[in-house]
């Protein structure tokens, strides 16, 4: 389990346990501590349903201590976990605490929820992109397509590549290049956790744009939704109930209940979302970023297909990123460019790491250990690879889980595999 999945699972558990019904009519509460690091896993202990593998090391001990620090129905994470999850969660610093079994005080954070960042890339890598290395031809093609789009001939760019190769970095680079040009940016992020949630990327984008918070009243949410819809259409009274229903906002007494057939409501909702995109494009050029299409739900792909047809006659540049296993149905259309990102060679990987070093040093975020790690990762010759350090004690049947760190051709660390997440 990756650190991000561990924290997400912990938040789900904390939110659900309180709703469980017991025969004693008692309210159940849970405290969760999560730590990441090297552990030793050995023989099975216990019997029946209680049987489990023995786990030894500082990591499970730290997770248990963090659990003791946690408030009821909360999740507390350690410093190593905090670094690995980036800005994907809303965290509150608990400061440093002395814990039993560890010589030095440890830092701890409460995870309060999933962050509302626009993309996985931005959540994992705060700050500005470090620039592109070895992507000169691809970047020139993207800028040319952007210029065509800005002149009214809508363009679609399909950016494909294996996990961690730099697809999101490439999109972020273009967004930075045109940051000073008048345009509207619409960003839709697909998620492996919401493949069965209809229109999840579009729902998240609307909630971010309207700055809707879960704790706000329905009236406040409707006010914010209407304000954002007015930017693209004069048909607010007609469209707002449809979009509010999509966002699960109660209509209250402001609008009459929707009584149309589900199929008709679905069709009108998709049309309203397309009209929003077109309305914004009539005001100024639009950069649409649809990230990780391989995780998109079926309804989002249907809407995306309709959007491809619609934007071809609008000043819109639509970037769609996906992994090679995704079969993009838009290949071959005149307005569609395909960009397949490959691995960098050894020299390009070195240049990438040097650029990352300079950026980190300028921001005051780098140290000798980081630079040594980056130098070692340059040896991956531009592809995602693993550096593993493990031990095996054969005579006792114990083994140490490997500590692995991966780095991609974009120069940014990607999913860290092989770390043990101790969740108490």
């Amino acid at each position: 389990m990756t650190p991000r999945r561990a924290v997400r699972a912990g938040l789900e558990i904390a939110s659900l346990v309180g709703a469980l019904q017991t025969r004693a009519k008692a309210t159940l509460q849970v405290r969760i501590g999560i730590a990441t690091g090297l552990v030793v896993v050995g023989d099975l202990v216990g019997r029946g349903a209680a049987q489990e593998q023995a786990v030894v090391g500082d990591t499970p001990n730290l997770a248990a201590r963090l659990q003791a620090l946690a408030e009821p129905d909360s999740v507390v994470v350690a410093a190593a976990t905090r670094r690995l999850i980036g800005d994907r969660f809303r965290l509150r610093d608990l400061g440093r605490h002395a814990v039993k079994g560890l010589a030095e005080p440890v830092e701890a954070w409460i995870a309060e929820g999933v962050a509302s960042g626009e993309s996985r890339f931005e959540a994992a890598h705060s700050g500005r992109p470090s620039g592109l290395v070895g992507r000169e031809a691809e970047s020139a093609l993207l800028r040319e397509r952007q210029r065509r789009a800005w002149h009214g001939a809508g363009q679609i760019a399909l950016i494909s590549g294996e996990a961690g190769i730099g697809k999101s970095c490439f999109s972020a680079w273009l967004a930075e290049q045109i940051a000073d040009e008048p345009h509207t940016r619409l960003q839709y992020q697909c998620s492996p956790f919401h493949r069965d949630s209809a229109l999840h990327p579009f729902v998240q984008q609307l909630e971010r744009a309207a700055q809707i918070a879960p704790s706000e009243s329905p009236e406040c949410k409707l006010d914010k939704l209407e304000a954002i819809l007015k930017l693209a259409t004069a048909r607010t009274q007609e469209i707002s109930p449809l979009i509010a229903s999509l966002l699960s906002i109660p209509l209250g007494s402001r609008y009459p209940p929707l009584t149309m057939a589900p199929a008709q409501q679905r069709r009108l909702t998709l049309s309203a979302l397309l009209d929003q995109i077109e309305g914004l494009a009539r005001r100024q050029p639009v950069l649409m970023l649809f990230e990780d299409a391989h995780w998109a739900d079926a309804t989002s792909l249907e809407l995306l297909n309709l959007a491809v047809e619609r934007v071809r006659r609008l000043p819109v540049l639509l970037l769609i990123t996906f992994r090679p296993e995704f079969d993009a149905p838009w290949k071959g259309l005149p307005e569609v460019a395909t960009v397949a990102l490959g691995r960098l060679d050894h020299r390009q990987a070195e240049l990438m790491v040097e650029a990352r070093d300079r950026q980190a040093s300028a921001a005051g975020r780098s140290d000798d250990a980081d630079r040594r790690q980056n130098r070692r990762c340059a040896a991956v010759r531009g592809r995602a690879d693993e550096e593993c350090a493990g031990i095996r004690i054969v005579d006792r049947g114990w083994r140490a889980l490997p500590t692995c760190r991966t780095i991609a051709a974009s120069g940014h660390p990607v999913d860290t595999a092989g770390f043990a997440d101790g969740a108490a």
Side-chain angles (χ1 to χ4, degrees):
M1 179 180 289
T2 66
R4 292 191 296 277
R5 285 183 180 271
V7 176
R8 187 181 289 269
L11 290 170
E12 286 290 324
I13 293 171
S15 67
L16 294 175
V17 165
L20 294 177
Q21 300 294 323
T22 66
R23 292 181 180 180
K25 305 298 183 181
T27 300
L28 298 180
Q29 294 179 315
V30 62
R31 295 179 174 87
I32 299 173
I34 300 176
T36 305
L38 190 67
V39 302
V40 178
V41 179
D43 298 328
L44 292 173
V45 296
R47 294 181 179 180
Q51 190 178 67
E52 60 183 3
Q53 282 189 307
V55 180
V56 178
D58 287 338
T59 302
N61 178 50
L62 176 57
R65 304 307 174 191
L66 294 176
Q67 179 193 32
L69 293 175
E71 300 170 355
D73 298 326
S74 68
V75 179
V76 176
V77 302
T81 308
R82 166 69 183 89
R83 288 193 298 270
L84 292 168
I85 62 177
D87 294 330
R88 287 179 169 89
F89 299 90
R90 301 192 310 274
L91 301 172
R92 174 160 54 89
D93 191 353
L94 293 179
R96 298 173 66 86
H97 296 265
V99 298
K100 184 178 179 180
L102 297 176
E104 299 293 331
V106 298
E107 296 177 292
W109 286 263
I110 285 185
E112 297 181 328
V114 179
S116 59
E118 292 194 346
S119 73
R120 292 190 306 127
F121 178 83
E122 292 179 355
H125 311 103
S126 58
R128 298 167 64 89
S130 57
L132 296 180
V133 174
R135 307 293 189 201
E136 290 77 12
E138 294 90 341
S139 58
L141 172 63
L142 213 55
R143 286 309 303 267
E144 174 58 28
R145 293 286 176 158
Q146 175 258 318
R147 283 188 283 269
R148 290 187 197 178
W150 265 218
H151 284 90
Q155 301 291 309
I156 299 95
L158 309 179
I159 304 173
S160 66
E162 60 191 84
I165 202 69
K167 301 182 295 295
S168 295
C169 180
F170 196 37
S171 301
W173 169 83
L174 178 64
E176 182 187 22
Q177 294 298 304
I178 63 174
D180 296 330
E181 302 180 24
H183 72 284
T184 300
R185 187 175 78 165
L186 303 175
Q187 187 144 1
Y188 306 93
Q189 176 64 62
C190 302
S191 166
F193 306 108
H194 298 92
R195 292 181 177 181
D196 297 322
S197 300
L199 297 173
H200 172 76
F202 295 91
V203 169
Q204 293 295 304
Q205 189 276 328
L206 285 167
E207 290 179 340
R208 285 195 309 270
Q211 298 182 347
I212 293 174
S215 59
E216 293 175 330
S217 68
E219 287 297 315
C220 180
K221 292 179 180 179
L222 286 174
D223 290 340
K224 290 184 174 183
L225 178 61
E226 290 173 355
I228 200 70
L229 294 179
K230 286 178 182 178
L231 298 176
T233 182
R235 299 163 48 227
T236 308
Q237 294 298 309
E238 177 183 347
I239 290 177
S240 292
L242 294 167
I243 305 302
S245 178
L246 176 64
L247 272 57
S248 300
I249 302 175
L251 299 179
S253 59
R254 186 176 306 193
Y255 298 101
L258 294 173
T259 58
M260 64 189 73
Q264 182 185 12
Q265 182 174 335
R266 180 180 184 276
R267 178 175 56 82
L268 292 176
T269 299
L270 296 183
S271 178
L273 292 171
L274 290 172
D275 290 344
Q276 281 295 113
I277 297 172
E278 181 169 349
L280 293 172
R282 298 295 182 190
R283 295 164 57 96
Q284 61 181 4
V286 171
L287 173 63
M288 287 183 64
L289 304 175
F290 195 87
E291 299 269 8
D292 297 319
H294 50 278
W295 288 329
D297 62 274
T299 310
S300 291
L301 288 177
E302 179 184 348
L303 181 55
L304 184 60
N305 193 50
L306 296 172
V308 167
E309 292 295 324
R310 182 80 66 97
V311 304
R312 291 162 67 182
R313 58 178 185 271
L314 297 170
V316 175
L317 174 60
L318 170 57
L319 303 185
I320 305 174
T321 70
F322 52 90
R323 294 179 184 174
E325 61 268 22
F326 178 75
D327 185 16
W330 314 286
K331 295 178 180 178
L333 296 176
E335 298 84 1
V336 175
T338 301
V339 180
L341 298 181
R343 297 172 178 177
L344 304 181
D345 61 31
H346 183 65
R347 178 53 184 158
Q348 289 169 335
E350 288 182 336
L351 291 173
M352 174 192 67
V353 173
E354 289 172 2
R356 181 174 172 80
D357 275 348
R358 289 194 297 270
Q359 184 187 42
S361 297
R365 293 184 285 104
S366 184
D367 56 27
D368 290 339
D370 288 336
R371 281 189 282 272
R372 288 195 299 270
Q373 175 70 19
N374 282 343
R375 297 297 178 212
R376 291 195 298 269
C377 289
V380 302
R381 296 180 181 271
R383 65 183 177 86
D385 207 347
E386 296 180 346
E387 288 186 358
C388 300
I391 60 172
R392 185 181 298 273
I393 306 176
V394 179
D395 57 340
R396 288 287 305 277
W398 297 81
R399 70 187 187 279
L401 295 182
T403 301
C404 305
R405 183 177 178 86
T406 63
I407 190 165
S410 62
H412 299 285
V414 294
D415 288 349
T416 305
F419 279 98
D421 288 287

